[in-house]
Amino acid sequence: MHRLFAELEPSVTVTEQNLADRVRYILRSNTFDVTELERLRREAVPSSGENAAAEDVAPQLAEQTANVDATVNTPVVVDLNDDGTVAQELELEQMRSTFEEAIVETRTTPLENRPRLPRLALSKQNRAVVRAQKPMLVTYLEASRDICETDSILFGAALAVCRIIGARLSTAGRANGQSSAIPGWRIRIEESIAKARVLIGRLICFRSGNTRRRIVRIVRMAFVGTNVSLSQPDIMQKLTERTDDLKQRIAAWGKRIRRYTERSTRFNQNRLFQSDQRRLYKSLERPIVGGTGPAPNQADTVAFWRSLWSEPVNHNEGSWTEVKRKKKRSQCAGITPMDPVIITPDDVAEAVRRALNWKSSGLDGLHHYWLKGFTLCSPDSFRGAQPEVAPKPLHYWDHSFGS
């Protein structure tokens, strides 16, 4: 089916798995009836040599249809042994449809536009839904050819679980919905300072003779809870006292921000001293300064490193270099070479098991909870999922080997 699609639509790039997903989704959603599907197939097959092509394609189409039907009709059983109160009206057909839609959506969505996965309550009902998704993953994971595709499949399964149980998903994406680096306490204090400055400005305007209705209303709100009235003869003195009081509050809030910042800095430095002293001393010697200029483009970066590593350089070596080499060989002769470090699937599984549930070690935002929950992702299923160009970070090896 993929070869026939490539011949009919050479300009469209699609993988075999993605094409099978779309065919399965069309068949499941009953978008076209049998007559319409037959008409589309006849229009798609070229008229020249149609009989010969039909003879060659018919067995393949029959086999693909059988595989799709087998996948669709695979029985999925929700384990109710742990919790007999799980809602039995949870339709497996609807779960399959939601799962397939989430897989297709994840594969066609850029990484930065994926929704942020929420934290789920560790209830028996949620665990039962996660277990029900495992048999649906088998067909997709066995057909996965690289680590990025495996990651998209697992993310789609997690997204389907969140939608089934009704969890709230962020629709803004992780690129626009990133949490601010400013702590909440500082934001609250800065908001109070901003409101106080606005109120000071209104009081100064009223003292200068501005008696507009909005200004008068705000001035009255400034004296709520006191016995001060705007008709009192000493109202100007009261306005001055109120303005000075607000200025003193702003100064106190500013000192509080500095005190809290110093305390937070000390706390982070003490914690970093316990975990990574080298990093602490480097940060003290050379503070981290964020770049304000434009980022270099890919062409300039490639040209810079290519000039350093790809072009041969002829060095002028004297007699002292050979003496240095011999001395270095004699010093290193008695050193036993280090054994090669081999990361096995069991090592990755142990690292995932020890990781925190709601932490994500990669840019995809897939929590370790899902790697632990989809325990059907055994190491034997992904030994062929090797990186194609360059080794990926350990987070992607977690996805390839599973837990």
Side-chain angles (χ1 to χ4, degrees):
M1 182 174 61
H2 183 266
R3 287 195 298 269
L4 179 60
F5 184 83
E7 294 175 0
L8 297 176
E9 298 291 341
S11 61
V12 180
T13 303
V14 64
T15 62
E16 298 177 0
Q17 184 62 40
N18 195 354
L19 183 61
D21 294 343
R22 294 180 183 275
V23 171
R24 187 184 300 107
Y25 175 72
I26 291 174
L27 295 177
R28 293 289 306 163
S29 58
N30 294 327
T31 306
F32 305 102
D33 55 9
V34 180
T35 306
E36 189 70 14
L37 289 175
E38 184 65 21
R39 185 184 64 81
L40 293 175
R41 186 188 66 80
R42 291 178 180 177
E43 292 180 357
V45 176
S47 58
S48 60
E50 181 176 359
N51 295 332
E55 293 177 359
D56 297 336
V57 174
Q60 299 178 6
L61 292 178
E63 182 180 357
Q64 291 289 341
T65 306
N67 294 336
V68 171
D69 293 340
T71 305
V72 171
N73 297 325
T74 301
V76 179
V77 180
V78 179
D79 188 6
L80 301 178
N81 293 331
D82 296 338
D83 186 11
T85 63
V86 177
Q88 308 211 353
E89 60 271 11
L90 191 61
E91 296 291 341
L92 297 181
E93 298 295 331
Q94 184 178 1
M95 292 178 62
R96 289 195 189 96
S97 178
T98 304
F99 174 74
E100 293 166 3
E101 292 177 2
I103 291 290
V104 175
E105 177 183 345
T106 304
R107 285 178 170 171
T108 56
T109 304
L111 185 65
E112 62 274 8
N113 294 336
R114 290 182 182 177
R116 183 185 296 272
L117 296 176
R119 295 187 179 186
L120 303 182
L122 300 179
S123 62
K124 295 182 178 180
Q125 180 177 357
N126 293 345
R127 287 198 297 265
V129 177
V130 173
R131 283 193 299 268
Q133 296 289 329
K134 296 179 187 178
M136 304 181 188
L137 283 169
V138 176
T139 305
Y140 291 91
L141 294 176
E142 289 179 351
S144 177
R145 295 177 299 178
D146 54 33
I147 299 173
C148 295
E149 187 174 357
T150 303
D151 171 72
S152 64
I153 294 172
L154 294 176
F155 191 93
L159 184 62
V161 172
C162 294
R163 290 176 176 175
I164 291 173
I165 65 178
R168 180 179 299 178
L169 294 170
S170 175
T171 58
R174 295 193 310 279
N176 299 327
Q178 297 226 346
S179 60
S180 174
I182 303 177
W185 57 266
R186 181 162 185 167
I187 294 176
R188 291 190 294 269
I189 294 177
E190 289 179 350
E191 289 177 353
S192 301
I193 292 176
K195 293 179 180 178
R197 287 175 176 172
V198 171
L199 187 56
I200 290 175
R202 298 294 187 271
L203 294 176
I204 293 175
C205 290
F206 182 79
R207 191 172 57 183
S208 301
N210 190 342
T211 58
R212 288 186 300 176
R213 182 177 301 178
R214 181 179 180 184
I215 300 296
V216 173
R217 185 175 67 252
I218 295 177
V219 171
R220 287 176 178 173
M221 292 175 59
F223 291 101
V224 172
T226 62
N227 295 326
V228 178
S229 175
L230 300 183
S231 59
Q232 293 180 358
D234 58 343
I235 186 61
M236 293 300 173
Q237 180 180 358
K238 298 295 183 180
L239 291 174
T240 304
E241 293 176 356
R242 182 60 175 166
T243 303
D244 294 341
D245 178 66
L246 291 175
K247 290 181 179 179
Q248 292 177 6
R249 290 190 179 187
I250 291 175
W253 283 329
K255 292 181 180 179
R256 183 179 299 179
I257 290 178
R258 289 192 294 271
R259 186 172 67 252
Y260 286 179
T261 303
E262 292 174 358
R263 189 266 175 193
S264 178
T265 303
R266 290 195 301 268
F267 176 80
N268 293 331
Q269 290 178 353
N270 292 336
R271 186 172 57 180
L272 188 60
F273 180 82
Q274 299 292 335
S275 59
D276 193 350
Q277 298 182 10
R278 182 179 179 181
R279 182 181 171 189
L280 171 63
Y281 294 139
K282 282 187 176 181
S283 64
L284 294 177
E285 295 174 359
R286 184 177 56 192
I288 300 176
V289 179
T292 56
N297 54 24
Q298 184 177 2
D300 296 339
T301 305
V302 172
F304 174 78
W305 289 107
R306 181 172 294 166
S307 63
L308 296 179
W309 298 103
S310 299
E311 298 179 1
V313 179
N314 297 325
H315 300 281
N316 296 326
E317 298 182 356
S319 59
W320 62 273
T321 57
E322 187 63 26
V323 176
K324 201 72 176 176
R325 289 196 189 98
K326 291 181 179 179
K327 183 177 180 181
K328 183 64 67 175
R329 292 194 197 99
S330 61
Q331 290 177 353
C332 299
I335 299 178
T336 304
M338 186 180 66
D339 296 334
V341 178
I342 301 176
I343 300 178
T344 63
D346 295 335
D347 297 335
V348 178
E350 181 64 18
V352 174
R353 188 186 66 82
R354 293 172 177 266
L356 299 177
N357 283 344
W358 301 112
K359 294 292 184 179
S360 174
S361 55
L363 299 177
D364 53 0
L366 188 65
H367 302 130
H368 298 134
Y369 170 80
W370 303 107
L371 301 179
K372 297 177 183 180
F374 298 137
T375 54
L376 194 65
C377 310
S378 60
D380 296 334
S381 302
F382 305 103
R383 294 191 181 275
Q386 300 296 332
E388 297 177 353
V389 180
K392 296 294 190 296
L394 180 61
H395 178 60
Y396 289 95
W397 288 106
D398 295 349
H399 295 171
S400 62
F401 291 115
S403 53

